[in-house]
Every structure is written in C-alpha cells, then in structure tokens.
Amino acid sequence: MVHHTATSVVTIERFIIEQERLHPEATGELSGILYDLALAAKMIANKVRRAGLADILGATTDANVQGEIQQKLDVFANETIVKAVDHGGRLCAMASEEVEGIIPIPEGFKCGKYCLLFDPLDGSSNIDVNVPVGTVFSILQKVTRGRNGEMEDLLQPGRRQVAAGYVIYGSSTMLVYTTGQGVHGFTLDPTIGEFLLSHPKIVTPRVGKYYSVNESNFGRWNRGVQAAVRGLKGDTPDLMPAKNSRYIGSLVADFHRNLIAGGIFLYPADSRNPQGKLRLLYEASPMAFIAEQAEGSATDGDNRILDIIPHHLHQRTPLVIGSRLDVGFVADTVRRAAERTSGPVVQPAL
Ligand code: FBP
C-alpha cells in the first residue's frame, strides 16, 4: 500500500488506481464506478453551492416513494447520478431512495457485474436553510445470472458490500469512501475541480465526545433507549463519561462529525417509527460499512447492521452508529433495561 500523508497531493483517481493495484484480479470496473460517482458529486456540489441563487430551491409538486415531497435538488441529484453511471458498462442495476423499484440499465448499454444503491440527497429537508446535505452510496456484486440485475442482487446483507461512501456538501465538499481497505476522505478543491486526499485512513475514537439524537422523540422511545440517552448525557458516569450534544438533522453531517471527532449517532425506533426512520440499504448499511472500517460500529440497537438481511428496497431500521464503546454502551443499557422489565432470562434446568 502506497503511504500518503495529508500533505501529499493525491487525486482521488490516482488513489483509486493505487488501491486497485492491490488486487491483481481487479478488472477496473469498481474503480470506474467510483470515478463516475466522483464526477456526479462534483456536478451536484456545483448546484448545491449555488442553490440559493438558482431557481433550484424549494419543492416540486411530486412525492417520492416515501411519500415525501421531492425537493428540486433531490430530482437533479438523482438524475445526475443515474446519467453518470448508467452507460459505463459496469452496472447491472441501480436503486435509489427516491425511486420505487429497480432502476434498470437502459437497453443498448452494456451491463456489468455490480449494483449501485444510493440516497441522492440525504437530509434534503435542510437544503432551503443552507444546512449541509449529502449523497450516500453502496456497491454490491451481482449474484444472479443473466444480463439485468434482479431484486436478489440488491437485497443483500451489508457485509457483502464491496464499497460504500458518502459525499458531504458542507463548508467544503468531501467524498469519504471505503472498499474494505480502510476509510479515506477527499476534499474537493473547487479551483481545480479535483477531489484531493485530505483524510487518509480515518480511524474514529473508541469513545466519542458527542451524542447526536433527535431528543424531541424522547417520550416516544422505550425505557431502554431513554436510559441509554440519559447515560450518554452523564447519568451513569461510572459507565460512560458525559458527552456534549450535537444534532443537525442531516445524517451525513451528523455521521461525518462523529466519525472524525468521535461520537455516537442514534435514530432509534419510536412509537411513531416502530421500524426506525432511516433506510437500511441507502443509509444504515453503507454508513455501517464505513463505521466498521474506521474501527467504529453500527447496530439497530442490538444486532449488527451489516448482518441484517433486507426484505425490501425501502426497508427502514433503527440505527445506533459511531464510536465502538459508545455503541456498545447503548446496546448494554438497552439489554439491561429489557431484562429488568422482562426479568432475567431463566436458563432451563438441564
Ligand atoms: P432524507 O432526507 O433522505 O429523507 O433523510 C432522512 C433524514 O433527514 C436524515 O438525514 C436525518 O438524520 C433524519 O432524517 C432527521 O430526521 P428528524 O427530522 O426526524 O430528526
């Protein structure tokens, strides 16, 4: 592995090639998809940067598969990603948080051995108020025969991802991704239009200083989650030091802060969202792959996110993600609370 420091001038293209060389069996198809996504990210960043000026703010009249009114930028981002990757001959199918079913590769274009799942613009409810938003992507290998990708190719557990990443459109635009060889961050230099390596080998602190959760849902959580959040605020100092609260309400922005500085993000299930709010395939799974590659972890409060078997494209899941010991603390606290209410698990007399 070529050693880079944050001061080396390394473009994302060069970095992708160097990582590919570590796999003599590689065909370059995965690298090609990552290039295309970096290009789409530049085009979306360009629109987001000027959002306040151009008539791109505000909503369309259409609703997406989640029943949410689509923001104009959502639609632009979705189309930009599809157009950037659908003709490269590397994909056999796509799925987007904004689109009901599978997005097929148009007839006339060659199909490849990968599938792409993405949330084109996460946190889009924040666009009009100039709060960072993001794009999230996940790449899987095709498992079925035949030209076109099928549902089976998209509904794979997160541990099968070959790559995952996100783009954050914040004070600067960054692309952070993993192909299972650590997590690396690139910052877009708008003066030359290049993503440059700025955060090689990101490792998230084992214990974080921030907790990020929408506390307006407190009354709708079960006792275990309430106890865990109290613990993160300092109620159980012998078990977990008190943390500072930070919540933007844009998953990519909250996750990125905690990845770099250390912390935990939670979107638990609640009486209004019994399955949680965030989507397994477009949000939780790719972020979980990145978190684990950065020595953090991700659960649905109990189970490892990367082991959850998806049943449908827009499935939701509770999400607890970030610094390893913080995520462990939440799981232990929830488990202890569950035992208290249901009584200790009695082992049958053998
Ligand atoms: P979408 O924009 O993809 O619907 O994203 C969902 C999201 O905005 C996340 O980015 C964020 O973490 C969460 O919802 C915020 O939800 P809430 O407003 O309920 O706290």
Side-chain angles (χ1 to χ4, degrees):
M1 175 89 173
V2 179
H3 174 65
H4 293 300
T5 67
T7 51
S8 322
V9 177
V10 178
T11 64
I12 193 168
E13 288 78 10
R14 178 169 148 212
F15 189 87
I16 291 170
I17 290 173
E18 285 169 2
Q19 286 221 317
E20 185 191 303
R21 289 208 188 105
L22 301 171
H23 297 272
E25 78 291 355
T27 61
E29 285 180 70
L30 181 59
S31 302
I33 301 168
L34 294 170
Y35 294 151
D36 295 342
L37 288 169
L39 172 63
K42 293 176 193 173
M43 296 165 75
I44 297 168
N46 193 26
K47 261 303 187 229
V48 169
R49 289 267 154 272
R50 291 180 300 112
L53 304 170
D55 176 30
I56 195 94
L57 278 183
T60 66
T61 52
D62 311 327
N64 68 10
V65 59
Q66 330 288 346
E68 297 152 346
I69 290 298
Q70 283 183 307
Q71 301 290 326
K72 289 178 188 166
L73 261 174
D74 269 344
V75 177
F76 172 80
N78 195 68
E79 286 167 4
T80 302
I81 293 170
V82 170
K83 287 199 195 110
V85 296
D86 68 358
H87 58 287
R90 301 157 185 135
L91 292 174
C92 61
M94 294 176 266
S96 163
E97 191 231 2
E98 295 296 326
V99 179
E100 175 84 35
I102 294 181
I103 304 171
I105 300 301
E107 289 304 322
F109 289 148
K110 184 172 155 286
C111 268
K113 62 179 182 188
Y114 293 107
C115 306
L116 173 69
L117 302 99
F118 61 96
D119 181 351
L121 214 59
D122 184 79
S124 49
S125 54
N126 289 309
I127 293 171
D128 294 6
V129 288
N130 208 359
V131 165
V133 291
T135 294
V136 188
F137 65 87
S138 165
I139 303 174
L140 292 161
Q141 192 136 9
K142 187 178 192 335
V143 290
T144 60
R145 296 174 171 290
R147 174 187 182 276
N148 298 317
E150 298 164 24
M151 206 47 94
E152 192 188 337
D153 298 307
L154 297 161
L155 297 182
Q156 299 184 56
R159 61 175 179 267
R160 295 243 194 92
Q161 292 173 94
V162 292
Y166 60 84
V167 185
I168 176 167
Y169 310 100
S171 45
S172 63
T173 297
M174 275 190 73
L175 193 159
V176 175
Y177 82 97
T178 184
T179 55
Q181 293 152 10
V183 177
H184 310 283
F186 301 79
T187 301
L188 180 62
D189 180 337
T191 61
I192 56 173
E194 288 284 358
F195 277 109
L196 301 179
L197 182 65
S198 54
H199 297 68
K201 288 201 277 313
I202 299 171
V203 172
T204 197
R206 290 165 65 77
V207 176
K209 50 183 180 188
Y210 299 118
Y211 74 97
S212 310
V213 68
N214 183 342
E215 290 198 61
S216 69
N217 295 326
F218 191 92
R220 284 185 278 270
W221 295 332
N222 68 34
R223 288 230 180 87
V225 173
Q226 291 177 343
V229 171
R230 282 202 200 97
L232 295 171
K233 295 161 79 161
D235 274 24
T236 51
D238 50 336
L239 295 175
M240 175 57 70
K243 298 181 190 304
N244 199 348
S245 168
R246 286 282 184 281
Y247 188 71
I248 296 171
S250 189
L251 169 67
V252 171
D254 282 312
F255 177 83
H256 184 72
R257 178 216 314 106
N258 294 345
L259 182 74
I260 304 294
I264 182 170
F265 171 92
L266 309 91
Y267 208 109
D270 61 46
S271 54
R272 196 164 48 187
N273 303 294
Q275 307 305 325
K277 177 183 180 183
L278 302 177
R279 291 85 187 178
L280 174 62
L281 292 171
Y282 314 106
E283 293 166 320
S285 214
M287 293 306 207
F289 188 21
I290 296 163
E292 290 202 7
Q293 280 290 312
E295 299 177 21
S297 67
T299 73
D300 63 0
D302 207 0
N303 313 301
R304 184 178 175 234
I305 290 285
L306 294 182
D307 290 336
I308 297 176
I309 312 289
H311 301 298
H312 65 82
L313 276 185
H314 299 285
Q315 178 173 337
R316 298 175 189 259
T317 179
L319 180 62
V320 180
I321 190 165
S323 296
R324 178 169 292 282
L325 297 186
D326 300 352
V327 172
F329 167 78
V330 169
D332 294 348
T333 309
V334 169
R335 199 172 307 117
R336 271 199 306 277
E339 277 169 8
R340 265 198 303 280
T341 40
S342 62
V345 180
V346 182
Q347 301 301 337
L350 296 175

